[in-house]
Amino acid sequence: AQSVTQLDSQVPVFEEAPVELRCNYSSSVSVYLFWYVQYPNQGLQLLLKYLSGSTLVKGINGFEAEFNKSQTSFHLRKPSVHISDTAEYFCAVSETGGYNKLIFGAGTRLAVHP
Amino acid sequence: DAGVTQSPTHLIKTRGQQVTLRCSPKSGHDTVSWYQQALGQGPQFIFQYYEEEERQRGNFPDRFSGHQFPNYSSELNVNALLLGDSALYLCASSFLAGSSYNEQFFGPGTRLTVL
């Protein structure tokens, strides 16, 4: 079985500051890793994914994440945030070779202040 | 190209009632998954349908059932509603291709409130 822990439930940050949202996972099998964003009253949008290869993954809206297998982490970063980045962010895993069932963390609320 | 659509947007029911939620997948997709997102929590996998059959199921009671139609659209049914069933229900669709990874596209969800 897999599990995902998002270490911060809320992250307040000022506009144009850098941000890191932390994610750790646990799994006895190899997994794919994802970050999704959810804006108010909307569904989930895929920000980026790690399937294999380079451990540094770049996504949409200037976000990137680094897969660290030894620390079982997949932290999300952005060098300079905008007000429009205010949203809920979810880290997720799915078992490789499985049916793409996603296991999500509890989410991190990113609040960008002017 | 329409993405994943869900209906209704909002729904209010009382305890003990039954509810049906609907999902139309993105064009070209043949697999539908359902997730429950309680307030302040991450989505939890309910089940997945492919070729009109339930292919995988999460840790949800039998009160939760589903169906997939020949046109790949899907329904989620919940019987004997409990207050704890209040949540945002998300539908996601994907295409079952040869590779093992298939991106899931999410709909906007149906907000169910049980009173």
Side-chain angles (χ1 to χ4, degrees):
Chain A
Q2 298 88 43
S3 66
V4 177
T5 302
Q6 292 186 242
L7 298 161
D8 306 290
S9 59
Q10 296 185 66
V11 173
V13 64
F14 288 108
E15 194 173 18
E16 297 184 8
V19 71
E20 177 180 81
L21 306 184
R22 297 180 294 167
C23 172
N24 286 98
Y25 70 94
S26 172
S27 178
S28 57
V29 298
S30 61
V31 293
Y32 299 133
L33 296 148
F34 308 87
W35 276 97
Y36 284 85
V37 61
Q38 186 175 39
Y39 298 102
N41 301 314
Q42 293 187 29
L44 299 171
Q45 181 182 9
L46 181 64
L47 270 180
L48 48 78
K49 61 184 180 289
Y50 172 79
L51 305 181
S52 64
S54 173
T55 57
L56 183 62
V57 179
K58 294 190 182 299
I60 62 172
N61 301 339
F63 284 93
E64 64 180 33
E66 186 156 18
F67 169 53
N68 187 318
K69 188 174 182 179
S70 63
Q71 297 188 5
T72 61
S73 68
F74 191 55
H75 301 333
L76 180 70
R77 302 185 183 99
K78 186 169 183 177
S80 176
V81 295
H82 303 287
I83 296 288
S84 59
D85 292 323
T86 295
E88 191 84 21
Y89 291 79
F90 293 96
C91 181
V93 302
S94 71
E95 182 181 338
T96 61
Y99 291 138
N100 299 308
K101 177 181 80 173
L102 290 164
I103 306 298
F104 288 89
T108 296
R109 170 75 177 165
L110 176 63
V112 181
H113 302 284
Chain B
D1 173 31
V4 180
T5 59
Q6 294 185 242
S7 63
T9 305
H10 296 87
L11 203 53
I12 299 175
K13 292 286 188 178
T14 56
R15 281 176 296 176
Q17 285 189 310
Q18 178 265 344
V19 68
T20 297
L21 310 181
R22 295 176 176 82
C23 171
S24 291
K26 184 176 169 64
S27 178
H29 285 183
D30 57 8
T31 302
V32 173
S33 300
W34 287 92
Y35 293 82
Q36 179 196 65
Q37 185 180 12
L39 196 62
Q41 297 183 26
Q44 285 193 290
F45 176 78
I46 303 175
F47 42 52
Q48 183 181 87
Y49 276 83
Y50 171 68
E51 291 189 339
E52 303 180 47
E53 291 192 358
E54 184 183 290
R55 187 164 67 165
Q56 194 174 21
R57 188 180 183 91
N59 189 25
F60 279 80
D62 291 344
R63 297 187 298 109
F64 289 77
S65 63
H67 189 75
Q68 186 179 34
F69 299 94
N71 67 353
Y72 308 118
S73 66
S74 177
E75 290 182 348
L76 164 65
N77 301 291
V78 187
N79 294 322
L81 284 168
L82 304 173
L83 294 179
D85 294 332
S86 294
L88 179 68
Y89 288 84
L90 295 165
C91 169
S93 74
S94 59
F95 175 65
L96 184 68
S99 64
S100 59
Y101 169 69
N102 302 289
E103 181 174 343
Q104 293 186 54
F105 290 80
F106 283 82
T110 293
R111 174 74 63 187
L112 172 64
T113 302
V114 182
L115 302 176

